[in-house]
Amino acid sequence: MIKFKNKKYDLLFSNNLAPLQALNYADELFFKEFKKLGVSSYRIISVIEQGWQKKYGLISDLKLLKKQFKLKISNYKWAPGILKKYELQSKKLRDLLLLISNKKYFNRANGELIGDLIKIRSNSATMDAMSNLLYLFSSLMGNEFFDNLKKYTKDKNILNDNFVYYTQPIRESRYAKIKIKKLSNLLKIEKRDLNFSLIIRIGAFIKDDVSELLDLRNKMAKNLYLEIAKRIKCPQSCINNLQIKEIERALKFGDKIKELSKDRREVTILFYPNDKIHIYEGNRAISFLNNGGFSEIKEKISLHGQVACKGIVRARAVLAHNSQEANKKMRKGDILIAVYTAVEYLSAMKKAAAVVTETGGITSHAAIISREFNIPCLIGVKGVMTAIKNGDLIEVDANKGMVVILKRN
């Protein structure tokens, strides 16, 4: 948690930014789509340093979102409506990407290049909003769904089996796998809880499918990005640090953007105070943080989190701040401790006896993959990256949702 201008922000997630997914698509369109889905937007501070992002949401906004999400649980048309819209929009984007992938851009006008870039953004903004919205839903409401299941049984094994069953994706995608197809001890839950489950399950599918679509977008639009980089006389990596409107200006007027890109690679702040984006880079970003009194709030550390896959493991802890560190340090049977996980962590996760992440919800990558590998997993364990040191002997009790330090290294 941080404080900025005397307002408290909570850490929503922290991750390595994949190419062509951050500043190219930093605009107000995301929140316009967000509101169309029936909930209010929320204020964000996104701090990007050397390609690593920490995204914070204003706590008062997140509380308001949670209230709105509670109302959606009784709206039986909301989540199916989102899924139907997603299916139509994803097909539209795939068709557009197929068309763009077959184009030879070297002889095309600048206007056509930027037009195709804008079309990609316009078509992906809706799905981007859906993915973020439903991820927030699972993160803010996941514990409540788990608590709701407790009214049907006191047996922890039955409870955990049903929690996995009722939160797995509605259909399979790249990494979102259906773990339990049939359950002998399946609980018969009320209509409202079934809808609660449906929202989470649709979110699990959409979040992973959108991630796959973003990767496809980068692959199929490769010729477009390469031609743009050539025309504005900068490496393709330089484009990653520019907004679409800045790319457009560089194509039209020859704006020099190398220095801007360089500053943004070092440090960039994306600030959404009221549905409007403000971008600060380099010294301006540092000044922004200083002037706002940006500071970490020291909290009492309690090593509890949300169960993503049940089980109990005692083993050596390995702290990893990025995928390279995880893949280098992990030995078979270790417990992986990370801020989050993504596809780049897969080889490390295959060695893990258990996984613990500081952020994430029940539809996060760590939760999905741990269920697929059938290894104990806790997510959203705040303070775990600070409390545990490399080599500590720890116990991950993913039945009770606890991490216990047994012996310091």
Side-chain angles (χ1 to χ4, degrees), residues 330-345:
M330 284 290 292
R331 300 195 305 253
K332 191 166 183 62
D334 289 340
I335 295 173
L336 176 62
I337 312 290
V339 179
Y340 81 114
T341 69
V343 62
E344 297 85 6
Y345 286 75

Side-chain angles (χ1 to χ4, degrees), residues 14-18 50-53 321-324 340 344-345:
S14 180
N15 66 337
N16 279 313
L17 288 171
Q50 302 295 332
W52 184 272
Q53 175 181 221
H321 295 87
N322 53 57
S323 58
Q324 292 85 357
Y340 81 114
E344 297 85 6
Y345 286 75

Side-chain angles (χ1 to χ4, degrees), residues 233-267:
K233 296 180 174 63
C234 76
Q236 189 180 347
S237 59
C238 176
I239 298 175
N240 302 350
N241 304 307
L242 301 173
Q243 288 181 280
I244 291 177
K245 63 183 180 182
E246 292 167 340
I247 294 171
E248 183 175 14
R249 282 190 58 85
L251 283 170
K252 282 184 176 179
F253 308 113
D255 286 11
K256 295 180 179 179
I257 39 72
K258 281 189 178 180
E259 282 301 314
L260 177 62
S261 176
K262 181 183 175 183
D263 286 343
R264 285 184 179 167
R265 280 199 302 273
E266 292 174 2
V267 57

Side-chain angles (χ1 to χ4, degrees), residues 33 37 78-94 123-132 134 170-174 201-214 216:
E33 295 296 333
L37 297 171
W78 184 62
I82 290 177
L83 179 61
K84 185 177 180 180
K85 187 175 182 180
Y86 176 79
E87 288 170 336
L88 292 171
Q89 199 67 31
S90 61
K91 183 182 183 305
K92 190 176 177 182
L93 179 59
R94 288 177 189 275
N123 279 275
S124 59
T126 302
M127 292 178 290
D128 189 19
M130 289 177 183
S131 176
N132 276 271
L134 294 172
I170 196 164
R171 66 183 66 150
E172 293 196 350
S173 53
R174 182 171 53 173
R201 294 181 68 201
I202 288 173
F205 162 69
I206 288 179
K207 182 179 180 296
D208 188 59
D209 202 56
V210 166
S211 177
E212 185 176 2
L213 267 174
L214 295 181
L216 181 67

Side-chain angles (χ1 to χ4, degrees), residues 234-370:
C234 76
Q236 189 180 347
S237 59
C238 176
I239 298 175
N240 302 350
N241 304 307
L242 301 173
Q243 288 181 280
I244 291 177
K245 63 183 180 182
E246 292 167 340
I247 294 171
E248 183 175 14
R249 282 190 58 85
L251 283 170
K252 282 184 176 179
F253 308 113
D255 286 11
K256 295 180 179 179
I257 39 72
K258 281 189 178 180
E259 282 301 314
L260 177 62
S261 176
K262 181 183 175 183
D263 286 343
R264 285 184 179 167
R265 280 199 302 273
E266 292 174 2
V267 57
T268 301
I269 309 295
L270 304 178
F271 182 44
Y272 294 83
N274 287 299
D275 300 350
K276 296 290 183 182
I277 185 173
H278 300 268
I279 300 180
Y280 305 87
E281 61 280 309
N283 290 333
R284 292 178 68 243
I286 294 168
S287 177
F288 171 84
L289 296 178
N290 291 338
N291 291 338
F294 189 92
S295 60
E296 296 281 346
I297 297 174
K298 290 186 177 180
E299 301 174 270
K300 184 179 178 181
I301 295 174
S302 177
L303 297 180
H304 289 77
Q306 195 170 348
V307 176
C309 190
K310 66 178 183 177
I312 302 175
V313 169
R314 290 184 177 187
R316 183 182 80 108
V318 172
L319 263 72
H321 295 87
N322 53 57
S323 58
Q324 292 85 357
E325 196 175 353
N327 295 328
K328 183 179 179 180
K329 287 182 178 179
M330 284 290 292
R331 300 195 305 253
K332 191 166 183 62
D334 289 340
I335 295 173
L336 176 62
I337 312 290
V339 179
Y340 81 114
T341 69
V343 62
E344 297 85 6
Y345 286 75
L346 276 177
S347 61
M349 294 179 77
K350 287 177 180 177
K351 299 175 185 175
V355 174
V356 179
T357 63
E358 192 165 48
T359 61
I362 53 177
T363 59
S364 65
H365 179 271
I368 290 167
I369 296 301
S370 65

